[in-house]
Amino acid sequence: MDSGKKIIYLDNNATTPIDERVLEAMMPYLTTNYANANSTHKFGVEAYEAVKLARSKIADLIGSETSEVIFTSGSTEAINLAIKGVAENYFSKGKHIITVATEHPAILDTCKYLESRGYRVTYLSVRSDGLIDLSELRNALKEETILVSVMLANNETGVLQPIKEVAALSHSAGAIFMTDATQAIGKIPVNIDESGIDLMCISGHKLYAPKGIGALFIRQRNNRIKIPALLHGGGHERGIRSGTLNVPGIVALGVAGDLAKKEMISTSRKVADLRNLLEDKLLSIENTRINGNKEQRLFNTLNICFQGVDSDALIMGLSNPEDEFPMIAISNGSACTSSSIEPSHVLTAMGLNENDAFSSIRISLGKQNTRAEIEITIEAIKKRVKELKNMI
Ligand code: PLP
């Protein structure tokens, strides 16, 4: 990303930069105290204490007990641990799982794997605004349903699913409720008890901590969920996730969670204003529309379709170093699937035809973005879209 030219980074749902305060907090554990948190000497104890503090900060952010937080390498690992764990531990009750067609590949591919192992998975559809229909969920729930996994915020559109209602329905049918909260944690308040969440994944690199650290919340009170280990070894993380603890990453996640909690209101106001400005100005371009429910949506995300415009050409044009504008980083689809030539599975599930899906881009803002950056982006996108339309 060091091109010698100014960069306007608007792909924060793919990954965020590290907050300087987070970097500062983790540095000692990379340099001066690199001890193993399991070592009994003084330095090991210090590392252990730092992990303990970080765990309490994450528990505080989501309203859980510290014993309910297991550190992982990120959300993909947490999701695999949770879904495969439920499948392995609860199969005697049934082999049916419910999820949604617009989930992240980490969920969908884990479910597909379980299908190959004899589990039955129902993929709920979404309406044209990206929201699920609760009556479809109600009809899908069966006695043999062991798990319902519905994401809180969609990574491509920002659409927020009604997870409280989903949790209540799941519990009334005796199923465990899991939510992929990767995009929501740190942006909006999430309380596991208020929402009735049994399992939830968190990823550091979506909230200004580094890549390679995350967590899984596993409910232990009221409805004790048992998750067997995926990785076996030294018995770390209550035997659920063995492997020497990533102390710098864990410290970073704790500080990032703490900062997110303290600054949530001011950050969300600032970022929402910028996103709304961007959205209003871009909607003035002809044949343009927003993908996803405008109200039930993350404040930082804008998924927008410029009908007839090739989104790849737009994205490449905006990040061209030869351009008169700073280089602008935006995306289409999720980062994990954007190398594929398939249209976004999220947008097609919402009923967009292939052409419209290929004409849609995702702009995701972060707390570091400024009004000046957004004004330049508006100008640059308007110019590029006009050029691309004239080329048709
Ligand atoms: N779930 C969602 C909604 C995501 O956006 C992502 C990452 O893009 C993941 C899961 C995977 O997270 P990680 O990169 O921490 O494995």
Side-chain angles (χ1 to χ4, degrees):
M1 303 261 286
D2 188 8
S3 64
K5 207 178 161 191
K6 182 169 163 45
I7 294 163
I8 299 178
Y9 183 75
L10 294 170
D11 198 15
N12 291 273
N13 284 11
T15 196
T16 52
I18 302 182
D19 186 304
E20 274 174 25
R21 295 164 294 178
V22 170
L23 187 62
E24 203 180 308
M26 73 186 282
M27 275 311 260
Y29 299 94
L30 286 163
T31 52
T32 47
N33 185 0
Y34 40 81
N36 187 322
N38 273 31
S39 295
T40 35
H41 48 69
K42 179 180 174 291
F43 312 103
V45 173
E46 269 173 33
Y48 174 82
E49 289 301 326
V51 168
K52 203 168 145 193
L53 181 63
R55 203 185 302 277
S56 69
K57 285 178 173 164
I58 294 303
D60 198 38
L61 178 69
I62 61 174
S64 77
E65 296 291 324
T66 51
S67 59
E68 296 174 310
V69 176
I70 297 294
F71 290 116
T72 65
S73 63
S75 277
T76 302
E77 186 192 328
I79 288 165
N80 273 265
L81 186 55
I83 299 185
K84 290 177 184 164
V86 170
E88 189 183 325
N89 224 32
Y90 294 87
F91 73 91
S92 57
K93 177 183 180 278
K95 290 183 124 186
H96 181 226
I97 293 170
I98 300 176
T99 188
V100 185
T102 50
E103 295 282 316
H104 188 272
I107 298 272
L108 295 176
D109 289 357
T110 307
C111 286
K112 277 190 201 117
Y113 166 77
L114 287 175
E115 281 182 296
S116 76
R117 297 282 172 192
Y119 288 79
R120 191 166 69 80
V121 181
T122 301
Y123 299 91
L124 300 176
S125 62
V126 293
R127 305 186 315 214
S128 59
D129 64 358
L131 285 167
I132 59 164
D133 188 339
L134 290 172
S135 61
E136 192 186 343
L137 169 63
R138 207 173 284 121
N139 291 334
L141 282 161
K142 303 281 175 254
E143 216 178 297
E144 62 271 23
T145 309
I146 47 174
L147 178 71
V148 175
S149 188
V150 174
M151 77 199 314
L152 179 41
N154 187 274
N155 43 304
E156 293 190 32
T157 58
V159 166
L160 299 167
Q161 298 293 356
I163 60 156
K164 203 170 166 175
E165 289 77 1
V166 174
L169 282 173
S170 309
H171 291 153
S172 67
I176 293 168
F177 174 61
M178 155 158 172
T179 191
D180 174 356
T182 307
Q183 295 291 345
I185 295 290
K187 293 192 188 99
I188 57 173
V190 178
N191 182 288
I192 45 103
D193 283 340
E194 276 168 23
S195 299
I197 299 165
D198 299 316
L199 292 161
M200 180 174 78
C201 60
I202 300 174
S203 177
H205 73 104
K206 312 290 183 183
L207 67 146
Y208 309 94
K211 295 155 191 68
I213 186 65
L216 174 64
F217 158 75
I218 308 176
R219 179 174 289 283
Q220 298 299 295
R221 298 154 299 129
N222 314 330
N223 181 20
R224 187 157 191 261
I225 310 297
K226 283 202 191 128
I227 296 292
L230 206 58
L231 303 178
H232 299 91
H236 309 78
E237 299 297 272
R238 300 200 352 264
I240 296 172
R241 201 276 188 180
S242 284
T244 304
L245 295 185
N246 170 4
V247 180
I250 292 171
V251 168
L253 184 63
V255 173
D258 199 31
L259 289 171
K261 189 174 180 203
K262 288 183 181 139
E263 298 170 1
M264 200 172 277
I265 294 176
S266 56
T267 302
S268 57
R269 274 196 197 128
K270 178 198 138 179
V271 176
D273 282 350
L274 295 180
R275 194 278 310 267
N276 294 342
L277 171 70
L278 183 64
E279 180 168 300
D280 287 350
K281 298 291 178 195
L282 294 183
L283 276 175
S284 69
I285 301 172
E286 244 178 50
N287 296 327
T288 298
R289 68 155 208 252
I290 305 298
N291 296 318
N293 188 295
K294 278 188 77 176
E295 279 74 44
Q296 307 292 320
R297 187 174 48 147
L298 283 177
F299 58 80
N300 79 315
T301 307
L302 172 60
N303 195 307
I304 188 164
C305 173
F306 301 109
Q307 265 181 335
V309 171
D310 175 6
S311 62
D312 278 336
L314 179 59
I315 291 166
M316 291 308 289
L318 287 169
S319 63
N320 180 359
E322 310 303 325
D323 204 75
E324 70 201 88
F325 295 105
M327 295 170 75
I328 302 172
I330 57 165
S331 70
N332 53 1
S334 70
C336 310
T337 51
S338 57
S339 59
S340 91
I341 46 161
E342 294 292 312
S344 149
H345 73 284
V346 174
L347 299 182
T348 50
M350 288 161 60
L352 269 76
N353 63 35
E354 279 209 4
N355 286 342
D356 284 355
F358 279 128
S359 297
S360 296
I361 56 165
R362 174 186 74 181
I363 307 178
S364 48
L365 285 73
K367 62 182 182 181
Q368 73 284 5
N369 292 128
T370 63
R371 193 180 170 96
E373 287 182 330
I374 297 305
E375 281 166 357
I376 294 168
T377 302
I378 293 165
E379 214 187 315
I381 292 182
K382 278 187 164 177
K383 186 162 185 252
R384 282 268 160 262
V385 167
K386 198 169 168 193
E387 283 167 6
L388 289 166
K389 279 191 168 177
N390 288 339
M391 279 164 66
I392 301 169

